Amino acid sequence: MQPKDADVIVVGAGLAGLVATAELVDAGRSVILVEQEGAQNLGGQAWWSFGGLFLVDSPEQRRLRVKDSVDLAWQDWLGTAGFDRTEDDWARRWAEAYVHFAAGEKRAWLQQLGHRFFPVVGWAERGGYGANGPGNSVPRFHITWGTGPGITAPFEARVRDGVERGLVRFAFRHRLDDLVLTSGAVTGVRGSVLEPTTAPRGTASSRTVVGGFEFTADAVVLTTGGIGGDHDAVRAAWPQRMGAAPGTMLSGVPEYVDGRGIGIASAAGGRVINPDRMWHYVEGIRNWDPVWKNHGIRILPGPSSLWLDAAGQRLPVPLFPGFDTLGTLEHLRGSGFDYSWFILNKAIIRKEFALSGSEQNPDLTGKSLRDVLKRATAGVPAPVQAFLDHGEDFITADSVEDLVAGMNRLAKSSRGDAPELSAGAVRHELESRDREIRNPFTKDSQVTAIRGARTYLGDRLIRTAAPHAILDPKAGPLIAVRLSVLTRKSLGGLQTDLQSRVLADDGAPVPGLFAAGEAAGFGGGGMHGYRSLEGTFLGGCLFSGRAAGRAAAG
């Protein structure tokens, strides 16, 4: 019998892969960590993230007088996920286990590893429907001190310690092509060795093949990610329930996020479910200083901007900024155009615009308390100001007429059949909204939502502007922002049991094969169902990566 090369092979050096490898090292197992990109991409997509994590009934919440519980979080998860398929059985089990993890040992486990959290908890995906509808009833979005790099660093350190101890071998620039099967069990991997690369993190690297490889082991853990970097794959999986797929999209992830590992596992007998469930944002803006092709950044908006579709129609209740990502995406796909508009002013952008991503938040990423405090006291944050100065999607003007003229020029420069916006109609929407906000009573649900947000101390301090008229000259100038669809996450994937074992079509585990992270739908082939409560993608990688590493170690 040919000797094995390692106890376990982990394919993919993103967050889930690092967590799984770290757990294997702790168990004393030998690991080959296979990654098609270079060492500079260690940490994968998580490194670029804002670092938000979903926690339930945390000390940070309690300090801000947020009352949370497992029952409330599970109510919110079920209302958001909308599980309705027979194949959702394992996904639902994963979801319930994750909610208990988020309310239990998750925070203590991360703290023990050196993670720390920003004290203000964010309120993402607010819903705006009934108690059993989608959305977070309370703030649960905990930002990691250090953002994405702060998330990945402790696990990378544990893996590198494994290298020093002779337990871990890195195989960078090794692209998985096939799983090795022996008598129906997965016993290794084979693929292509790509030429070395010095391409900076996140940028496209060469696909020139210079050799081949084959490694054997007792088990293989796949953590190869989703399809968000491949727009053709996104369009092919696009669900009809959300209308036609966008003709133009921005990429929220690098090009190498192509879902390759999911297809390879499927060919080896793994069951792929819910490929039509996906999570893309509608508040994407083109990065003026891009790292990868079609690089987009997501705006993390407060509740005050007026949201118009491409024809200038205000979006219906409760599709306000930050309330229901997927509901807004579905509504806008029905408009026939790939873009929409925020209209706001300088006072709103100063307080309410945050940008997702580690590179767009140097204060949090650099762990600078002094710079973070400026968010509550200074002017427009520097990364946002850079987009105002250089971003092609931003228009600034002193009058509605000049603003709308700029919006029309921008729209028609990209699409000849773009609808002509009427300055009079836009002014009417703004004036109508402003009349409502001047009065302590209102029938405008967005105005009610703005006032409700400011009852939460975290929003009042750094995320929500004081209610005011958008057309107030003292709050100006006016700003319009063109928003595009931004690809991000696959919510479906390889079906797994609670040990992260990949299941076949008959429901039995594929011997020797485990999966975690986005490739497994973050657990069970889609623990989010149709929608996410946010802060659960990184958390899903942590939870499923840990489960896969511990199970594969056994």
Side-chain angles (χ1 to χ4, degrees):
M1 179 182 292
Q2 182 179 356
K4 65 186 180 184
D5 296 297
D7 293 327
V8 180
I9 297 165
V10 177
V11 186
L15 180 59
L18 290 176
V19 174
T21 303
E23 292 294 328
L24 287 160
V25 168
D26 287 352
R29 301 294 186 261
S30 61
V31 185
I32 299 175
L33 182 52
V34 175
E35 169 58 52
Q36 72 173 2
E37 301 304 317
Q40 58 272 44
N41 278 289
L42 203 61
Q45 298 176 61
W47 191 93
W48 296 99
S49 73
F50 193 37
L53 291 173
F54 176 94
L55 294 174
V56 177
D57 192 25
S58 70
E60 289 78 15
Q61 287 175 297
R62 293 194 293 270
R63 278 195 290 269
L64 292 166
R65 300 179 182 176
V66 174
K67 296 180 180 179
D68 201 3
S69 67
V70 169
D71 288 343
L72 183 60
W74 184 231
Q75 172 182 301
D76 288 347
W77 195 291
L78 287 176
T80 300
F83 296 123
D84 61 0
R85 298 173 178 174
T86 56
E87 59 266 37
D88 284 336
D89 178 50
W90 281 109
R92 183 185 172 112
R93 295 190 208 182
W94 269 94
E96 187 169 13
Y98 179 71
V99 169
H100 282 274
F101 175 64
E105 65 176 309
K106 179 180 179 181
R107 184 181 182 278
W109 176 60
L110 291 172
Q111 289 258 321
Q112 185 180 19
L113 293 171
H115 283 88
R116 296 295 181 266
F117 295 103
F118 184 56
V120 179
V121 182
W123 195 353
E125 289 298 295
R126 303 181 188 212
Y129 304 90
N132 290 312
N136 282 297
S137 298
V138 297
R140 297 192 177 105
F141 191 80
H142 295 66
I143 301 168
T144 300
W145 192 232
T147 66
I151 285 277
T152 59
F155 299 102
E156 180 180 340
R158 289 166 68 192
V159 171
R160 291 195 181 279
D161 178 64
V163 174
E164 293 295 319
R165 292 163 54 191
L167 290 173
V168 177
R169 170 187 167 189
F170 285 127
F172 293 114
R173 300 299 284 160
H174 284 56
R175 183 183 68 196
L176 175 69
D177 293 332
D178 292 293
L179 294 172
V180 178
L181 292 170
T182 304
S183 301
V186 175
T187 56
V189 298
R190 66 169 66 94
S192 305
V193 179
L194 306 178
E195 68 178 354
T197 180
T198 58
R201 180 189 288 273
T203 60
S205 61
S206 166
R207 290 295 180 262
T208 300
V209 175
V210 296
F213 72 91
E214 183 170 327
F215 301 135
T216 58
D218 293 328
V220 173
V221 180
L222 282 180
T223 60
T224 49
I227 64 173
D230 184 341
H231 290 191
D232 289 337
V234 169
R235 293 189 184 97
W238 192 269
Q240 292 184 348
R241 65 179 178 274
M242 289 201 296
T248 302
M249 294 182 283
L250 301 177
S251 286
V253 295
E255 289 178 80
Y256 60 71
V257 183
D258 58 8
R260 181 181 181 84
I262 299 174
I264 291 170
S266 176
R271 185 188 189 194
V272 179
I273 62 172
N274 301 320
D276 62 319
R277 292 178 181 171
M278 52 186 69
W279 187 258
H280 306 304
Y281 293 108
V282 282
E283 310 100 327
I285 51 176
R286 191 170 295 277
N287 193 346
W288 67 270
D289 187 21
V291 176
W292 53 80
K293 183 180 178 182
N294 291 324
H295 189 179
I297 298 293
R298 186 204 174 194
I299 296 169
L300 302 172
S304 300
S305 297
L306 193 71
W307 204 337
L308 306 178
D309 66 17
Q313 300 295 313
R314 189 176 177 185
L315 269 58
V317 175
L319 304 183
F320 312 133
F323 276 66
D324 180 7
T325 293
L326 217 62
T328 307
L329 175 59
E330 184 175 350
H331 173 80
L332 290 173
R333 293 313 308 138
S335 73
F337 293 91
D338 297 342
Y339 66 95
S340 60
W341 298 99
F342 275 169
I343 296 184
L344 59 155
N345 55 33
K346 186 175 180 179
I348 293 173
I349 205 169
R350 183 189 75 80
K351 195 75 174 282
E352 297 196 6
F353 265 41
L355 301 173
S356 184
S358 56
E359 82 281 21
Q360 300 298 329
N361 294 275
D363 51 353
L364 290 164
T365 303
K367 302 181 181 180
S368 171
L369 182 59
R370 182 184 64 181
D371 289 344
V372 168
L373 290 173
K374 291 179 181 178
R375 290 187 179 227
T377 59
V380 177
V384 176
Q385 186 62 53
F387 274 90
L388 277 170
D389 295 339
H390 308 292
E392 65 180 75
D393 295 310
F394 287 72
I395 300 163
T396 303
D398 291 320
S399 70
V400 174
E401 289 69 26
D402 288 344
L403 188 75
V404 172
M407 294 165 69
N408 284 328
R409 285 194 299 270
L410 178 58
K412 291 185 180 298
S413 69
S414 303
R415 180 166 173 169
D417 65 343
E420 182 83 13
L421 297 177
S422 161
V426 172
R427 177 178 286 280
H428 174 71
E429 288 286 5
L430 288 166
E431 289 178 341
S432 298
R433 178 262 187 204
D434 286 355
R435 288 189 191 98
E436 296 284 325
I437 212 156
R438 292 190 183 101
N439 197 310
F441 306 98
T442 183
K443 65 179 180 182
D444 190 309
S445 296
Q446 186 175 3
V447 173
T448 299
I450 294 167
R451 291 172 178 158
R454 286 179 62 82
T455 64
Y456 168 51
L457 181 61
D459 276 349
R460 189 179 185 91
L461 286 174
I462 63 172
R463 290 293 287 138
T464 308
H468 67 279
I470 291 179
L471 292 177
D472 183 350
K474 296 190 294 295
L478 295 170
I479 299 167
V481 186
R482 181 179 61 180
L483 309 172
S484 301
V485 175
L486 178 73
T487 64
R488 189 57 65 89
K489 296 295 181 186
S490 307
L491 297 187
L494 294 162
Q495 190 176 41
T496 57
D497 64 12
L498 288 175
Q499 291 179 282
S500 288
R501 297 181 298 181
V502 174
L503 304 179
D505 286 335
D506 63 0
V510 177
L513 184 59
F514 300 79
E518 193 173 352
F522 303 94
M527 74 170 189
H528 295 94
Y530 289 94
R531 284 175 161 93
S532 165
L533 286 173
E534 291 284 29
T536 55
F537 299 134
L538 293 173
C541 289
L542 293 169
F543 189 50
S544 62
R546 190 177 80 153
R550 292 181 178 183

